[in-house]
Amino acid sequence: MKSLVLCLIFILQSFPNLLQANLSADYYSKTCPEFDQTLVQIVTEKQIAAPTTAAGTLRLFFHDCMVDGCDASILVASTPRKTSERDADINRSLPGDAFDVITRVKTAVELKCPNVVSCSDILVGATRSLITMVGGPRINVKFGRKDSLVSDMNRVEGKLARPNMTMAHIISIFESTGLTVQEMVALVGAHTIGFSHCKEFASRIFNNKNEPNLPEGMNPKYAAELRKLCANYTRDEEMSAFNDVFTPGKFDNMYYKNLKHGYGLLQSDHAIAYDDRTRSLVDLYAANETAFFDAFAKAMEKVSEKNVKTEKLGEVRRRCDQYNDYQG
């Protein structure tokens, strides 16, 4: 039976227009009326205790939803027989606090409403609440997703942008999921919070002999400070820098302002600021935070509703890190 379901999932992922999600804002109003209140309370406590939770959860959201839709496949732990998305190379640096907050919400909700609320809805809801908590726009999310029956490391490559990709390549990745260039530029504004590991931008500030290098378009003083910060990055892989050096914990439009003054951290940041297809949008969002917030919220809502699993195409996992039929 499960093989038949997996076959159906493959067909619907190949032809996403056949999949119509039955989502609604009040999906749990009768089956788990305390869901939203419980979620908000727990993510608030977690964000206060670990201020990087918001950025980490937002990144976890993208790494889940950009690969076959928001289905909590990123949360599944690998087994001796199957390596899950979570252990794909690009996902190994996803922060533990993000996984932890989802686990905490799931545990609390299961005590109140067993086998009702999906892990994918918890991830979407937590991301929404955390963005607002750190100053970002309100995102009108809907619920009713089911959790995936598949999590395969091999499905990840090519669906997530990397900082050293060309702008044409990054645009093609977003367009392959139905997102426009305008939506892509708005979503990249998520870099207004969080940090990046030094290894992700080391090639910009050091040459191939590990000697100082001044990247095109980067503020010289900023580059010098980054070199000091990341001097030992080859020995300490956890070395990192804030994506937004001025307001790293606040969701605002400072990321775009930084780009215009040479404070873009990643190669992709520099590219988006100067590419003819994206420069005017960077200028718009740098000048108008309301325009950025509106565009970001709408793009997030679109991402959260694409290719979701509903009804028989998924399940409500009892544990977010394993399928219900897992035998150990």
Side-chain angles (χ1 to χ4, degrees):
M1 179 63 184
K2 186 171 181 178
S3 61
L4 179 61
V5 173
L6 294 178
C7 182
L8 181 58
I9 290 173
F10 174 78
I11 293 172
L12 288 172
Q13 286 175 344
S14 301
F15 302 96
N17 290 333
L18 297 176
L19 184 59
Q20 297 297 321
N22 184 27
L23 306 178
S24 65
D26 61 352
Y27 186 84
Y28 295 113
S29 61
K30 294 181 179 179
T31 56
C32 194
E34 295 182 57
F35 163 56
D36 207 50
Q37 179 183 352
T38 302
L39 180 146
V40 171
Q41 178 182 342
I42 291 173
V43 300
T44 300
E45 292 170 353
K46 179 66 179 179
Q47 176 64 21
I48 292 172
T52 60
T53 299
T57 305
L58 178 54
R59 187 176 173 213
L60 188 65
F61 168 90
F62 280 123
H63 282 234
D64 183 46
C65 299
M66 291 295 286
V67 181
D68 302 330
C70 300
D71 58 7
S73 53
I74 190 66
L75 303 178
V76 176
S78 296
T79 68
R81 293 185 177 183
K82 188 75 170 179
T83 304
S84 68
E85 292 177 21
R86 188 169 177 169
D87 286 319
D89 175 65
I90 197 171
N91 289 333
R92 288 176 187 164
S93 62
L94 289 171
D97 283 325
F99 289 97
D100 179 64
V101 74
I102 304 305
T103 300
R104 292 187 185 205
V105 175
K106 179 63 172 175
T107 301
V109 170
E110 283 295 300
L111 292 174
K112 296 176 183 292
C113 322
N115 305 321
V116 173
V117 180
S118 68
C119 300
S120 46
D121 277 346
I122 290 173
L123 177 54
V124 170
T127 304
R128 169 212 63 187
S129 296
L130 286 162
I131 289 172
T132 304
M133 205 175 300
V134 294
R138 176 170 177 79
I139 301 168
N140 298 314
V141 302
K142 298 177 182 179
F143 299 112
R145 299 163 190 79
K146 295 297 185 288
D147 300 323
S148 71
L149 300 172
V150 177
S151 181
D152 185 352
M153 176 185 72
N154 296 319
R155 297 189 65 83
V156 175
E157 190 61 38
K159 295 181 180 178
L160 294 169
R162 293 178 181 268
N164 59 349
M165 288 178 173
T166 65
M167 187 49 52
H169 193 175
I170 294 173
I171 289 173
S172 71
I173 288 175
F174 279 82
E175 287 182 338
S176 70
T177 63
L179 294 165
T180 66
V181 171
Q182 181 266 334
E183 289 166 333
M184 178 201 75
V185 176
L187 290 171
V188 171
H191 285 177
T192 188
I193 55 175
F195 58 86
S196 295
H197 290 96
C198 291
K199 63 182 179 181
E200 297 181 81
F201 56 87
S203 61
R204 297 197 73 206
I205 57 176
F206 299 110
N207 63 20
N208 56 13
K209 295 181 180 179
N210 209 33
E211 297 170 339
N213 182 52
L214 180 60
E216 179 185 2
M218 183 178 279
N219 180 289
K221 292 183 179 179
Y222 180 49
E225 290 302 315
L226 288 175
R227 283 192 290 271
K228 291 180 185 177
L229 176 68
C230 297
N232 297 317
Y233 83 95
T234 56
R235 292 192 293 272
D236 184 358
E237 293 186 354
E238 295 303 310
M239 295 293 294
S240 58
F242 288 120
N243 294 323
D244 170 2
V245 68
F246 294 108
T247 59
K250 182 182 179 183
F251 197 102
D252 53 22
N253 68 334
M254 185 60 72
Y255 165 75
Y256 300 103
K257 294 179 180 180
N258 290 344
L259 297 185
K260 292 172 62 63
H261 295 94
Y263 292 99
L265 183 64
L266 305 173
Q267 176 58 38
S268 55
D269 294 331
H270 172 76
I272 204 171
Y274 293 96
D275 190 280
D276 289 340
R277 292 161 290 188
T278 56
R279 183 173 56 235
S280 63
L281 290 163
V282 170
D283 292 344
L284 170 63
Y285 298 147
N288 189 332
E289 186 174 78
T290 300
F292 164 49
F293 276 20
D294 288 346
F296 182 83
K298 289 176 182 176
M300 285 287 287
E301 290 163 18
K302 182 175 178 179
V303 170
S304 75
E305 296 178 17
K306 289 188 67 64
N307 300 343
V308 300
K309 315 300 184 293
T310 58
E311 303 308 324
K312 302 298 182 181
L313 301 181
E315 63 182 6
V316 175
R317 290 190 211 129
R318 290 185 290 271
R319 283 183 48 161
C320 292
D321 62 350
Q322 65 185 39
Y323 309 116
N324 291 341
D325 64 356
Y326 179 63
Q327 300 296 319

